[in-house]
Amino acid sequence: MPDLLLELFSEEIPARMQRQAAEDLKRLVTNALVERNLLYEGAQSFVTPRRLTLHVVGLPAAQPDLREERKGPRVGAPDAAIQGFLKSAGLKRIEDATIVTDPKKGQFYVAMIEKPGRETKDAIAEIIPAIVRSFPWPKSMRWGAASAKPDALRWVRPLRGIVCTLAVPHDASDVVAFGIDGVKAGDMTWGHRFMAPGPIHVRRFDDYVDALQKAKVVLDADRRKAIILADAKNLAFARGLELIEDDGLLEEVAGLVEWPVVLMGEFEPEFLDLPPEVIRATIRANQKCFVLREATAASAVMAGLVPAIHEAPSGAQQDGAATRNGVDGRDNPRVKPGDGHDEAGSGGLANKFILVSNLIAPDGGAAIAAGNARVVRARLADARHFWQTDLAPLPDAKDKTAKPLDQRLEKLERVVFHEKLGTQGERVERIEALARELAPRVLADPGLAARAAHLAKADLATEMVGEFPELQGLMGRYYALAQGEERSVADAIEEHWKPQGPNDRIPTAPVSIAVALADKLDTLAGFWAIDEKPTGSKDPYALRRAALGVIRIVLENGLRLKLTEATDLALAWFITEPDPETATGDALRYLESARKLDRAISTAKARKTKAGLDVPGPTPGYIHASKVGASLLAFFADRLKVYLRDKGARHDLIDAVFALPGQDDLLMIVRRVEALGRFLDAEDGRNLLMGYRRAANILRAEEKKDGAQAFAARHDPALLVLPAEKDLADMLAAAGAAARERASREDFEGAMRALATLRAPVDAFFLDVTVNADDADLRRNRLRLLNELREAMHGVADFSKVAG
């Protein structure tokens, strides 16, 4: 059974596209093989900066022969029908067909068509060109003289060669012949661009891997990553340093080199006065280098020397095909651990960095390291200029007495957040007012929360964040501390952006919580107000992430925050203000929220007016808030369901709790869901659920006959005849009252225990009592009793939503 080796050799593929391209190649080719009945044993794809490679193991030599029975017209059919059948079946005369008799349809012709299977190499010669021409690159290009043609080949970078062979292990190999825009498939590839640029002839995958290894190409991307990581740790350890690992950078660098050689560069120690995150961002973004820190005593003892990588990592086999990469085989010497590393190191950043070269230089990489160091110094000098500029007062600030970060807020008045939601400056005013109102609810100081919210977006106008947007919030904290702000204020400036994703940490300090909630609620309320909600998979303003952030902050900090109140405050800024003389219900509630915010916003505007700053006009009202508020709460409910499902909660229990009216306390919703789950896991809970369903089904059927409200009244004790119905009535009165009382005290476990006492009387009722009695009064009374059972259980959760 032959194995397929396919290599698409090109100019350098962007690192960010390599992984997906390898997966796409494997998926497209193997799917096409299976569609043609060419089943295989295993497949594995590889990628380097200049080649996409696919190895498919255990293909058949040819497609299986097909035997098809094609039904034709009836015997005696018109000649035109007969001739059409002969043509479609490939028969020369009707006598070559078989006559089949059907008891119902009579006699008709049948042709047995046999199609011999195509050779595998012919099928592959058809598959590969089609896949290459339609390959799903995020970006592609045309090149050369052929690029003028509208149907010219498009590839991520110019395609230079194709290797395509079918080889039987320990036997002959064949080249699969085809061509794509003048590039013909063959058995020739090329090694490393600089160290082994000559052509290489290969026959099968084992030859191919060995030949590339000798030509200074490590085929497996994961193996290149392992080499880089091991050599970087060893080199750092030898200098008494520790590597700051960066998985994203490691993935990118492994996609930039075919033969990784790890080197160390150095920059002047005075640059260490910059914040460490700035140094790391500068070196990472501009030079794709790794940062080092001084090894602490503990890390020096525990780290040891990372073993050299001599064989492929375990688990490299995919889909049944072995990696077969063999031994590392590189001839550059490993770094040996040195003596004299600083065991008492502080753990701070070192003025050295790790870079990865793509070749073994004659001078051991000294010139390469020196060149990278020159660029790093220049970039760090730029960063130091940004840092010093941001710490200094603005020369053109209107308020010369304001602190530097406060002065940057003036720029936000000219930055549009959204054309329908005003400027960033206006948004800061809303967040500041909202944070002041939310602060007492999360046990934060209102003044500190307002101050943190006031400065939260100021670093967006700084030079450093303009150069490195990923440092927003973090630089705000540094600048706030530099100008003497409270530590809690500075921390809130950084943490109000969090969480940025499901695995990001959440703010836990009260001031940080208040500002983070205000920021996210303002975002949600604003976009709900202008009807820019997420639709399907589209969420351009990350509103789902904002809602999930609110949920995580509330739940993981154990906060008692009613969402209705919080969203009222956030939406109040955007409402069309009602007439206080005629407003009722929702409108009056939103008006009171608006007045609260107005007081806080007026204070902020008065402070700006006193400082001689321009004060923007009022933000126009956009909405009538009741419908929008309900929609926003429903969105939070959907996000909470997603969050709880990810935590393992049953979706039906979540629905059962959400069906209750007034569920806007997230913490209590979660506790009720947990209590309900434990209740239904117990035998009493499961049996009571069965009794509830029986009662609900009977009521549903009878309400269709008598009307939905026919049994809403309380039962008549005088009409209770049998002991079982009397016992149920007595227990139901006690258990229902106990469940309601305990649920009102938020003792959901106790409420469930109270309901559990109904199990025995419910079982006895259905065993001894005929609900639909002949006596109409008895029937109505018993149905009313069952309705009371349903209502008692719905006081804790809507059990009709529970599955199973």
Side-chain angles (χ1 to χ4, degrees):
M1 298 180 75
D3 297 348
L4 169 66
L5 169 63
L6 173 66
E7 181 199 75
L8 301 172
F9 184 84
S10 69
E11 301 297 329
E12 277 73 7
I13 304 168
R16 68 182 183 280
M17 300 183 188
Q18 292 177 13
R19 286 279 184 182
Q20 188 59 50
E23 289 301 314
D24 287 340
L25 180 65
K26 175 181 160 185
R27 172 179 56 83
L28 293 170
V29 172
T30 54
N31 286 353
L33 290 171
V34 171
E35 287 171 3
R36 290 162 174 79
N37 282 327
L38 292 170
L39 305 183
Y40 60 95
E41 294 178 2
Q44 188 176 15
S45 58
F46 303 89
V47 64
T48 79
R50 296 206 296 162
R51 68 199 79 224
L52 278 174
T53 300
L54 177 67
H55 181 215
V56 182
V57 179
L59 283 166
Q63 294 173 310
D65 295 339
L66 295 179
R67 182 179 175 87
E68 178 185 352
E69 183 180 278
R70 183 168 298 179
K71 185 178 178 181
R74 293 189 306 275
V75 174
D79 187 62
I82 298 291
Q83 294 303 319
F85 170 63
L86 291 176
K87 184 177 181 180
S88 67
L91 301 179
K92 293 183 178 180
R93 56 199 185 105
I94 195 62
E95 287 77 12
D96 295 334
T98 303
I99 297 176
V100 177
T101 302
D102 186 288
K104 295 182 179 179
K105 298 180 180 180
Q107 293 183 320
F108 56 90
Y109 293 108
V110 172
M112 302 302 297
I113 303 172
E114 294 185 358
K115 293 182 178 180
R118 299 172 66 191
E119 289 191 19
T120 298
K121 66 178 182 179
D122 294 335
I124 291 172
E126 175 186 82
I127 290 170
I128 303 303
I131 289 175
V132 169
R133 288 190 176 279
S134 61
F135 200 80
W137 292 108
K139 290 184 179 180
S140 57
M141 61 179 290
R142 296 179 293 181
W143 62 92
S147 64
K149 300 177 183 178
D151 61 343
L153 173 66
R154 301 187 69 93
W155 199 244
V156 63
R157 295 291 185 269
L159 186 64
R160 300 304 189 196
I162 301 173
V163 171
C164 191
T165 67
L166 272 176
V168 177
H170 312 298
D171 203 342
S173 65
D174 293 323
V175 171
V176 180
F178 61 87
I180 307 173
D181 271 22
V183 182
K184 293 184 178 180
D187 61 358
M188 186 173 70
T189 186
W190 291 264
H192 192 280
R193 181 183 286 277
F194 305 111
M195 295 189 291
I200 304 169
H201 290 274
V202 297
R203 294 184 300 168
R204 54 178 57 84
F205 185 71
D206 291 340
D207 300 339
Y208 173 75
V209 173
D210 292 342
L212 287 182
Q213 191 75 31
K214 293 174 183 176
K216 300 295 187 287
V217 175
V218 178
L219 181 63
D220 189 351
D222 288 331
R223 186 162 155 64
R224 293 196 301 275
K225 287 174 63 175
I227 291 169
I228 293 168
L229 185 60
D231 285 2
K233 286 183 175 181
N234 289 346
L235 183 55
F237 182 82
R239 303 292 181 88
L241 303 173
E242 187 179 347
L243 178 71
I244 298 178
E245 296 186 34
D246 187 328
D247 292 338
L249 181 58
L250 180 61
E251 177 75 18
E252 183 176 8
V253 172
L256 297 175
V257 297
E258 289 193 317
W259 190 259
V261 178
V262 174
L263 304 170
M264 183 177 290
E266 185 174 359
F267 57 86
E268 285 72 11
E270 51 264 30
F271 286 119
L272 294 176
D273 292 339
L274 290 169
E277 295 87 354
V278 171
I279 297 174
R280 184 173 179 179
T282 301
I283 293 176
R284 184 191 197 281
N286 292 302
Q287 287 303 104
K288 312 302 180 189
C289 295
F290 296 86
V291 181
L292 300 171
R293 61 177 165 233
E294 300 290 344
T296 62
S299 65
V301 171
M302 295 177 65
L305 184 63
V306 179
I309 304 298
H310 285 298
E311 49 189 43
S314 61
Q317 184 173 337
Q318 299 176 19
D319 292 351
T323 305
R324 308 182 193 176
N325 273 29
V327 182
D328 181 4
R330 301 186 305 154
D331 50 17
N332 55 319
R334 300 286 179 181
V335 176
K336 304 299 182 183
D339 300 322
H341 58 272
D342 181 12
E343 293 188 358
S346 64
L349 285 189
N351 64 319
K352 293 179 174 62
F353 59 92
I354 291 291
L355 61 125
V356 182
S357 170
N358 192 33
L359 56 83
I360 303 172
D363 63 353
I368 297 173
N372 276 265
R374 282 195 299 272
V375 178
V376 166
R377 288 188 203 104
R379 296 293 180 261
L380 288 175
D382 291 341
R384 182 165 57 188
H385 170 73
F386 298 147
W387 170 251
Q388 292 171 347
T389 301
D390 291 339
L391 289 176
L394 284 175
D396 58 346
K398 294 182 179 179
D399 185 358
K400 302 295 184 182
T401 63
K403 297 178 179 180
L405 207 54
D406 294 76
Q407 291 177 340
R408 265 75 183 173
L409 287 170
E410 298 173 20
K411 295 183 178 181
L412 297 184
E413 304 290 357
R414 302 186 292 273
V415 178
V416 176
F417 171 66
H418 187 282
E419 61 178 350
K420 295 181 180 180
L421 296 175
T423 66
Q424 280 282 13
E426 292 170 323
R427 184 163 182 260
V428 166
E429 289 179 350
R430 296 197 301 267
I431 296 172
E432 181 180 350
L434 187 53
R436 186 184 293 275
E437 288 298 323
L438 290 175
R441 294 169 170 79
V442 297
L443 305 180
D445 181 278
L448 294 177
R451 177 62 178 166
H454 181 69
L455 298 175
K457 307 297 182 183
D459 65 347
L460 296 178
T462 62
E463 300 288 333
M464 190 71 79
V465 173
E467 181 71 13
F468 301 110
E470 67 270 23
L471 297 182
Q472 61 189 4
L474 175 69
M475 296 314 302
R477 177 172 68 86
Y478 277 114
Y479 295 143
L481 290 173
Q483 70 180 30
E485 301 293 339
E486 293 279 349
R487 170 69 68 172
S488 60
V489 170
D491 290 343
I493 293 172
E494 177 186 7
E495 294 175 350
H496 86 280
W497 294 98
K498 297 182 180 298
Q500 291 288 324
N503 298 319
D504 194 15
R505 64 183 179 88
I506 59 166
T508 55
V511 174
S512 300
I513 291 171
V515 181
L517 290 175
D519 177 53
K520 291 166 179 58
L521 288 169
D522 176 78
T523 298
L524 289 162
F527 284 106
W528 246 252
I530 61 174
D531 199 26
E532 290 278 0
K533 306 169 188 174
T535 56
S537 62
K538 296 181 180 179
D539 187 10
Y541 304 112
L543 302 181
R544 293 188 180 100
R545 185 175 70 187
L548 187 58
V550 171
I551 290 167
R552 284 191 59 202
I553 290 170
V554 170
L555 293 182
E556 294 176 29
N557 283 300
L559 298 177
R560 299 298 305 276
L561 180 70
K562 289 191 172 294
L563 275 183
T564 302
E565 295 179 2
T567 54
D568 281 359
L569 288 166
L571 284 167
W573 180 269
F574 303 100
I575 67 170
T576 302
E577 185 170 316
D579 182 354
E581 299 299 326
T582 59
T584 58
D586 285 332
L588 198 60
R589 194 181 79 221
Y590 281 92
L591 177 60
E592 178 56 30
S593 296
R595 285 171 173 164
K596 290 180 181 179
L597 288 187
D598 280 342
R599 289 194 292 271
I601 291 165
S602 297
T603 301
K605 288 185 175 181
R607 184 175 64 250
K608 295 180 72 174
T609 302
K610 184 178 180 181
L613 304 178
D614 292 334
V615 179
T619 302
Y622 297 105
I623 58 168
H624 295 284
S626 57
K627 291 183 179 179
V628 177
S631 172
L632 183 52
L633 286 175
F635 181 71
F636 271 111
D638 289 339
R639 290 296 93 198
L640 179 60
K641 289 178 185 179
V642 172
Y643 173 82
L644 291 177
R645 285 170 191 161
D646 290 343
K647 297 290 186 181
R650 285 169 47 182
H651 66 88
D652 55 331
L653 304 190
I654 301 168
D655 291 337
V657 171
F658 264 115
L660 300 177
Q663 295 300 305
D664 69 343
D665 187 327
L666 297 176
L667 191 62
M668 291 302 101
I669 290 171
V670 172
R671 290 180 179 173
R672 195 184 290 253
V673 169
E674 292 171 348
L676 180 59
R678 286 189 287 271
F679 172 65
L680 293 176
D681 285 340
E683 184 180 358
D684 283 350
R686 290 192 297 270
N687 288 341
L688 183 58
L689 177 62
M690 293 173 61
Y692 163 85
R693 285 178 177 155
R694 188 172 178 182
N697 290 336
I698 293 171
L699 284 167
R700 191 179 303 111
E702 299 308 312
E703 285 171 345
K704 288 181 180 179
K705 302 175 186 176
D706 297 23
Q709 300 299 316
F711 314 113
R714 310 301 295 176
H715 76 276
D716 183 354
L719 293 175
L720 298 175
V721 178
L722 300 175
E725 58 184 328
K726 293 179 181 179
D727 290 345
L728 177 59
D730 293 340
M731 291 296 296
L732 189 56
R740 288 191 296 273
E741 188 271 334
R742 289 170 185 173
S744 68
R745 290 193 284 110
E746 298 170 353
D747 177 11
F748 303 118
E749 297 281 0
M752 300 295 173
R753 286 195 299 272
L755 290 180
T757 62
L758 293 173
R759 175 199 166 179
V762 168
D763 290 346
F765 178 86
F766 284 117
L767 184 64
D768 299 340
V769 178
T770 301
V771 176
N772 287 314
D774 295 334
D775 187 308
D777 291 336
L778 287 179
R779 169 182 171 274
R780 185 184 309 108
N781 201 55
R782 288 168 181 173
L783 287 170
R784 286 175 176 175
L785 186 61
L786 291 183
N787 184 60
E788 291 174 25
L789 171 65
R790 181 173 63 180
E791 289 181 350
M793 296 188 69
H794 281 186
V796 177
D798 185 346
F799 284 81
S800 67
K801 305 290 185 182
V802 178

